Amino acid sequence: MADRNHAAGLGTLKNKRKNVLGFMWKYKALYLISLPGLLFFVLFKYVPLLGSVIAFQNYNLFAGVTKSPWIGLEHFERMFSHYDFLKILRNTLLLGTYDILFAFTAPIVLALLLNEVRLVLYKKIIQTIFYAPHFLSWVIVSGIFVGILSPSSGIVNVILGWFGVEPIYFLGEDSYIRTVLVGSGLWRDVGWGTIIYLAALAGINPDLYEASNIDGAGRWRQTLSITLPALLPVITILFLLKIGDFLDYGFERVFVFQNPLNIQSSEILDTYIYKAGLQQLQYSYATAIGLFKSVVGLFLIAIANAISKKATGESLY
Amino acid sequence: MKYDSPGRKLFLAGNYMFLTLLALTMLLPFLNVIAQSFSSPGAIDRGVVMFWPVEFTLAYYEHVFQDVSIWRAFGISVYITLLGTFINLAATASLAYPLSRPEYVGRKTIMVFILMTMIFTAPLIPQFILMRELSLVNTLWSLMLPTAISAFNLFVLRTFFAQIPNELIDSSRIDGCSEARTLWSIVLPLSKPALATVGIFYSVTNWNKYMDALYYINDRAKYPLQVKLRELLVNEGMTDTGNMAFEASSQSVQGVQMAVILVATLPIILLYPFLQRFFIHGMMIGSIKE
C-alpha cells in the first residue's frame, strides 16, 4: 500500500516535471531570446565576483588565478595594520556620514517645499532647473566648481571679497574639501532626488487633508500626521539602499576633485583601490580592499533591513 | 485653503524666495562658465566676469575648434553614445521581454540573481583582469560591453512590458508570430515611451562615461571626451598642480577650459527639453517595488 502511494507520488512528480519541461519547450524561443542578457550578467557580474578570490592570493598576471600562490588573509592583515588605510577608511566613513546627514535628507525637505508651490508655471520652471545638473558628468561638475571656487577669479571668492574676506583656495585645503565634495553632490543631485518623493506626495489621497482640515489641523500638523507617514515607506526603502552604499561614496565624484593639497582628506577607498591596483599594480591587495568594501556593504544592508522589517514592516526583500 | 492665515502667507513667501534662490545657485555657476568662455583673459583675471561676457572674444572657441584631439575625443564620445545606446537597448529589451512573461519559468529566481548584482558588486581589479582576458582593454568595446545592461533600466522596461496584456501577445502567437517577431512588431512599438526613457538614461550615461575609460583605455587616441576634458582641466591649470602662483599665471587657460566644458555639455543642453518629458515617468516606473 505504502509502496503504491510512493510510486504514485513519484509518478505525478515525474509527470509534473515532464509537464514543466514540455511547457518550457513550447516557449523555448523565450529562453533563447533571454540567453545573451543572462550571459551578460554571468560574464560581467558573476565571473569577476568569483575572481575576487585573488584577494587571498599573491596574484601574478602571468601565473593567473589557477597558479598564483595562496596566502590566506595576509592582505587583509596588511590592510588593517596600514596607517594610510585607516586614515582612508576614516575619510570614507566621514563622507558616508555626511552623505546620509545632508544628501539623503535634503531631497525630502525640498520635495515637501516644492509640494507647497501652487503656481503651476513657476513649479514647472523651477523643477526644470533643479533636475538639470544631474545630467552633467562629474568631470564637468568639477570643472564648474574649480572655476567658481578659484581663488583669483572664481565668482565665490569675488563675492566673498565684497565682504572683505580674503580669497580662499577651497580645493587646496584639507579643511574645505569635504564641504566641496558634499556641496557639489548636493548641487548636482538634490533636485533629482525629489522626483520619487514628489511622485509619492502626488499619490496621497486629498480626502485625508480635507478631513483633517475639518478636524481643525493646521498645515504643520498635517505635514507631521499625514504627509510624512505617507512618505515613510519610500524614505525607508531609499534609506536601506543608501546604507548599503555607506562605503561607496563613488569614485568619479571624488577623483575629479583630488589634488596633492587635499589628498589627505579626499582619499577614499574607491580612489585608493584604483591607485593601489591599476597604478601600482598591487592586484591582490586592491582586490582585498574592494572585497572588504562589498562585504561590509552587504552586512550593513542586511542588518538595516532586519531592523527596518521589525520596526516599520518595510523591507527590501 | 480659501483663506490663508498670516503665518501661512509668511511661509509661502519665504518658500518662494528660498526655492528661487536655490534655483539661482544651480543656474548661475553655469551662466558664469558661459560668460567666462566669451571673456578676455584680462577680464577673467581681474575677476570682473559675472554672468555676462566682458571684453567679448571668441578666441577660446577658435582654440578649441582647431584642436584636433578635442574633435577626435568628441567623435569617439558620439560613437560610443550611438552604438553603445543601441547595444544597451537591444540587450536590455531582449532580456526584459522574457522576464516580463508569465510563461517564462524561473523568472523570479533570475530577478533575484540580477538584483544581487546591484547589492553586491565585484571589486575593480577582477573586473579589470576579466577585460584583459577578453582582450577588451584599450578597445572602445570596453566602454560599451561591460555596461550593456543596467539592472535599474532592465527593471523599468520589464515593468512596462509586463503591463502589456497577455491576450495581445497570445493572439499574435496564434497568428503565427515567433517570439522575436512578437517582441519586434507588438511589444516594442507599444513601449515607445519606456524605450525613450531608458534610451535617454543610457545615452546620458554613455556620453558622460569617464571612469571606465580611465580604467580600460590607455591609448590617448581612444580617449572619449570626458577623459580629454579632464586632461585639459588638470594639465593646463588648477586642480592637480595645486599651485596658486602657477594658476595665476595661466588665466587665459581658464577661458579655454570653460569653452571646452560648454562644448562637452552642449549636446545634453540641446536635448534636455526633450529628455525632460520622459525621465520623470521612467524614474517612477523604476522605483515600483514588487
Side-chain angles (χ1 to χ4, degrees):
Chain A
M1 188 67 183
D3 267 8
R4 221 196 229 161
N5 272 349
H6 185 66
L10 261 185
T12 50
L13 205 74
K14 252 184 197 158
N15 267 340
K16 218 174 172 182
R17 189 167 294 163
K18 212 172 154 189
N19 281 343
V20 171
L21 282 179
F23 189 73
M24 284 172 80
W25 182 249
K26 188 177 163 202
Y27 292 103
K28 56 185 179 298
L30 281 179
Y31 298 90
L32 210 63
I33 292 174
S34 69
L35 211 56
L38 294 179
L39 197 71
F40 165 84
F41 278 99
V42 172
L43 182 62
F44 287 110
K45 304 286 173 186
Y46 278 87
V47 167
L49 213 52
L50 289 178
S52 306
V53 296
I54 65 168
F56 306 97
Q57 291 182 327
N58 244 339
Y59 181 77
N60 174 322
L61 263 186
F62 303 102
V65 181
T66 43
K67 288 190 188 121
S68 292
W70 294 88
I71 56 160
L73 295 173
E74 205 174 285
H75 289 300
F76 293 90
E77 284 163 15
R78 187 179 144 208
M79 194 164 99
F80 285 109
S81 57
H82 205 290
Y83 168 73
D84 272 350
F85 176 80
L86 295 178
K87 193 183 65 197
I88 291 161
L89 185 62
R90 181 173 166 267
N91 287 343
T92 315
L93 290 173
L94 273 176
L95 274 177
T97 311
Y98 292 148
D99 199 35
I100 287 181
L101 283 181
F102 300 107
F104 182 74
T105 48
I108 304 173
V109 177
L110 188 57
L112 290 175
L113 293 180
L114 275 172
N115 200 42
E116 297 293 327
V117 172
R118 293 280 166 267
L119 302 172
V120 179
L121 185 67
Y122 175 85
K123 197 172 176 180
K124 238 183 177 160
I125 294 171
I126 215 123
Q127 280 175 301
T128 304
I129 296 172
F130 281 174
Y131 300 151
H134 176 76
F135 291 90
L136 303 179
S137 75
W138 286 111
V139 176
I140 287 178
V141 171
S142 81
I144 293 174
F145 271 75
V146 166
I148 62 171
L149 294 177
S150 156
S152 52
S153 60
I155 190 168
V156 172
N157 274 311
V158 169
I159 292 171
L160 285 177
W162 295 346
F163 300 97
V165 180
E166 288 289 305
I168 302 168
Y169 190 16
F170 289 98
L171 288 165
E173 279 178 47
D174 275 339
S175 46
Y176 286 111
I177 189 64
R178 287 197 192 96
T179 316
V180 173
L181 288 172
V182 175
S184 60
L186 273 177
W187 183 81
R188 180 181 184 261
D189 288 327
V190 69
W192 185 252
T194 62
I195 293 182
I196 288 181
Y197 295 114
L198 287 174
L201 286 170
I204 300 175
N205 187 349
D207 291 353
L208 290 175
Y209 292 106
E210 197 82 21
S212 72
N213 250 345
I214 294 166
D215 291 344
R219 300 291 296 196
W220 184 238
R221 182 78 227 190
Q222 288 179 340
T223 305
L224 289 184
S225 306
I226 302 173
T227 316
L228 278 180
L231 285 185
L232 201 60
V234 189
I235 295 176
T236 314
I237 295 294
L238 290 181
F239 185 73
L240 290 175
L241 290 173
K242 193 88 183 175
I243 287 285
D245 283 341
F246 195 60
L247 294 183
D248 215 345
Y249 193 67
F251 171 83
E252 280 186 26
R253 57 187 299 190
V254 175
F255 186 75
V256 292
F257 279 107
Q258 283 184 342
N259 67 38
L261 292 181
N262 66 33
I263 199 77
Q264 292 298 323
S265 298
S266 64
E267 191 81 295
I268 59 167
L269 290 176
D270 287 302
T271 54
Y272 184 63
I273 288 169
Y274 167 70
K275 288 166 194 168
L278 292 188
Q279 291 182 344
Q280 298 161 13
L281 306 182
Q282 309 182 59
Y283 286 146
S284 287
Y285 181 51
T287 307
I289 302 175
L291 201 59
F292 164 77
K293 206 189 76 173
S294 294
V295 170
V296 170
L298 192 66
F299 262 106
L300 287 176
I301 217 169
I303 293 169
N305 196 54
I307 295 174
S308 152
K309 210 171 196 170
K310 270 224 167 111
T312 66
E314 292 292 332
S315 69
L316 286 173
Y317 44 83
Chain B
M1 252 184 292
K2 280 146 215 142
Y3 173 73
D4 286 339
S5 69
R8 171 97 186 130
K9 271 183 189 153
L10 197 69
F11 165 76
L12 283 178
N15 192 24
Y16 279 111
M17 217 153 80
F18 173 74
L19 291 175
T20 308
L21 272 177
L22 197 63
L24 284 180
T25 62
M26 306 212 167
L27 208 57
L28 294 183
F30 209 72
L31 290 181
N32 185 236
V33 168
I34 299 176
Q36 289 204 355
S37 75
F38 288 111
S39 299
S40 76
I44 297 177
D45 209 12
R46 291 196 304 276
V48 292
V49 184
M50 300 296 276
F51 310 113
W52 199 254
V54 178
E55 297 165 22
F56 187 86
T57 171
L58 286 172
Y60 310 125
Y61 287 94
E62 280 165 21
H63 181 92
V64 169
F65 287 119
Q66 279 162 9
D67 188 335
V68 182
S69 67
I70 294 177
W71 279 113
R72 191 175 47 210
F74 194 94
I76 286 171
S77 279
V78 169
Y79 175 80
I80 62 166
T81 302
L82 293 179
L83 183 61
T85 306
F86 174 77
I87 294 173
N88 289 143
L89 285 176
T92 310
S94 66
L95 183 56
Y97 172 64
L99 289 179
S100 73
R101 299 277 56 101
E103 294 88 0
Y104 192 91
V105 180
R107 63 186 194 290
K108 281 264 159 66
T109 320
I110 291 177
M111 295 291 282
V112 172
F113 159 92
I114 292 170
L115 201 70
M116 273 307 292
T117 67
M118 283 176 96
I119 296 175
F120 198 83
T121 46
L124 162 66
I125 301 300
Q127 292 184 43
F128 177 78
I129 292 172
L130 173 71
M131 298 297 283
R132 257 184 70 110
E133 297 288 321
L134 296 172
S135 307
L136 291 177
V137 170
N138 253 332
T139 68
L140 293 183
W141 294 113
S142 69
L143 306 181
M144 296 184 275
L145 294 183
T147 46
I149 303 178
S150 105
F152 178 84
N153 287 335
L154 179 75
F155 292 144
V156 171
L157 266 196
R158 196 200 68 103
T159 309
F160 199 91
F161 288 168
Q163 291 162 358
I164 296 172
N166 231 7
E167 291 79 15
L168 202 64
I169 297 198
D170 272 336
S171 66
S172 116
R173 283 176 184 146
I174 290 164
D175 289 345
C177 277
S178 66
E179 291 294 337
R181 183 72 201 271
T182 308
L183 173 61
W184 182 254
S185 311
I186 309 284
V187 176
L188 290 187
L190 282 173
S191 310
K192 273 181 197 153
L195 288 171
T197 309
V198 168
I200 285 163
F201 285 145
Y202 276 132
S203 41
V204 172
T205 311
N206 289 334
W207 181 258
N208 284 342
K209 208 159 260 180
Y210 170 67
M211 187 175 71
D212 302 74
L214 198 66
Y215 292 161
Y216 303 132
I217 308 275
N218 303 316
D219 183 355
R220 296 171 52 88
K222 288 176 184 156
Y223 277 172
L225 190 57
Q226 302 294 335
V227 181
K228 180 71 202 167
L229 176 61
R230 167 71 184 160
E231 206 181 62
L232 286 170
L233 290 175
V234 173
N235 283 356
E236 305 200 13
M238 302 169 276
T239 36
D240 264 13
T241 64
N243 182 335
M244 283 178 69
F246 177 71
E247 190 194 329
S249 70
S250 60
Q251 273 313 325
S252 60
V253 165
Q254 184 160 347
V256 175
Q257 291 169 341
M258 297 303 128
V260 184
I261 286 180
L262 210 67
V263 170
T265 323
L266 208 61
I268 290 179
I269 299 177
L270 291 179
L271 283 177
Y272 184 66
F274 303 99
L275 309 186
Q276 215 200 344
R277 275 180 51 217
F278 296 106
F279 64 70
I280 297 175
H281 187 59
M283 278 293 285
M284 289 186 223
I285 305 179
S287 48
I288 291 171
K289 188 188 157 214
E290 276 202 66

